Amino acid sequence: MELNYKTIFAKRKTLTITVERDRSIVVTAPEGTAPEKIRQLVESRKLWLYEKTRHVQKYDPLPHPPGKELVTGESLPYLGRLYRIELVEGDGEIRFEQKFIVPRAHAGQSPAFRAWFIAQAEEKILPRVASHARNLGVAYKEAKIGQGKYRWGSCTPQDNVILNWRLIKAPMFVIDYVVVHELAHLIEQNHTPRFWNIVRSQAPGMDKAKAWLQKNGALLEQEL
Ligand SMILES: [Zn+2]
């Protein structure tokens, strides 16, 4: 994993690292400190920083605490925006009309929501795989929506592309970046400069998408 950080130079003698409330990493360094030295410091505290930036509960309030029942007025992320939940009587299907209309029968537990998200992921993400593959001129065997927890996407040695259903909570430019990233591995296996050039050419929002994932990854990892 690569950690992004911001450096602030100041008239002081020591190097310090802090994690801001929004989970961004800030290094304060004496004026004239070599970037390499700063990078080494960040590198040496990588595990600690990883912990700090991942322990979301401490930094960002969660929109929906895990395990809690859904109630009217709470919201869930979908395609990069938070939409409110409205509980209605009955036990029909979950519907989406610029808000989630959720029959009370599904309110207590998450499987119905998860199924809904997975269905949306299949409907909206898989066609992106097909069109980006066409544009990149690559062929894959099969594209699937996967249920792994910690990877947004992967490309198997058998040329199957698997995308995490949780991506459906992210904006489309993030989905596109992950799709293009995995497809680009069919051309170039490693994260070489050539690889990143390929990704950038097809997903111009790449840097923004990476930053988005770094900031909001934990939100996607939640069950709902
Ligand atoms: Zn990769």
Side-chain angles (χ1 to χ4, degrees):
M1 178 186 103
E2 216 185 297
L3 287 166
N4 289 325
Y5 56 91
K6 191 172 106 187
T7 309
I8 296 171
F9 291 101
K11 283 198 194 306
R12 61 197 331 253
K13 290 210 164 65
T14 51
L15 264 173
T16 54
I17 305 183
T18 49
V19 176
E20 302 295 306
R21 276 194 63 78
D22 63 0
R23 281 179 274 136
S24 63
I25 299 166
V26 177
V27 179
T28 313
E31 281 168 352
T33 308
E36 183 56 20
K37 199 173 167 196
I38 296 169
R39 210 187 52 75
Q40 276 170 10
L41 174 77
V42 173
E43 201 62 34
S44 72
R45 318 254 352 232
K46 209 169 180 172
L47 270 183
W48 175 80
L49 287 168
Y50 188 70
E51 287 271 294
K52 277 261 188 199
T53 51
R54 281 296 152 137
H55 278 152
V56 281
Q57 285 86 341
K58 257 157 84 184
Y59 294 90
D60 260 358
L62 303 176
H64 178 68
K68 200 179 148 205
E69 286 205 358
L70 299 173
V71 295
T72 294
E74 276 196 272
S75 36
L76 287 178
Y78 174 52
L79 290 171
R81 293 189 54 187
L82 285 171
Y83 291 99
R84 298 214 160 259
I85 289 169
E86 189 181 307
L87 290 183
V88 293
E89 295 309 320
D91 57 359
E93 301 277 300
I94 291 170
R95 281 178 300 134
F96 179 75
E97 295 168 5
Q98 298 312 302
K99 63 186 170 190
F100 293 104
I101 302 181
V102 184
R104 215 167 274 281
H106 298 311
Q109 276 311 320
S110 55
F113 249 106
R114 191 183 160 110
W116 187 86
F117 274 125
I118 291 171
Q120 301 307 308
E122 281 168 349
E123 192 186 307
K124 299 201 164 59
I125 299 177
L126 297 182
R128 309 298 284 191
V129 181
S131 70
H132 284 302
R134 257 195 318 276
N135 293 340
L136 280 166
V138 296
Y140 57 91
K141 218 182 246 160
E142 205 187 337
K144 278 186 276 202
I145 296 300
Q147 307 205 13
K149 187 152 186 193
Y150 295 105
R151 301 187 68 179
W152 304 131
S154 56
C155 189
T156 72
Q158 298 77 37
D159 293 350
N160 291 322
V161 177
I162 300 164
L163 295 148
N164 196 314
W165 68 270
R166 292 175 175 82
L167 282 169
I168 198 66
K169 301 176 192 173
M172 203 40 103
F173 75 91
V174 173
I175 295 172
D176 281 334
Y177 158 68
V178 176
V179 167
V180 170
H181 182 126
E182 296 313 327
L183 289 171
H185 277 311
L186 293 168
I187 305 172
E188 172 74 53
Q189 247 184 358
N190 300 307
H191 293 150
T192 59
R194 176 173 177 249
F195 171 85
W196 293 116
N197 281 339
I198 296 165
V199 178
R200 198 187 300 273
S201 72
Q202 198 63 43
M206 172 177 109
D207 294 320
K208 224 174 100 192
K210 285 166 97 173
W212 193 96
L213 281 171
Q214 185 153 36
K215 190 157 180 265
N216 301 288
L219 181 67
L220 300 193
E221 279 164 21
Q222 287 173 59
E223 230 5 73
L224 281 184

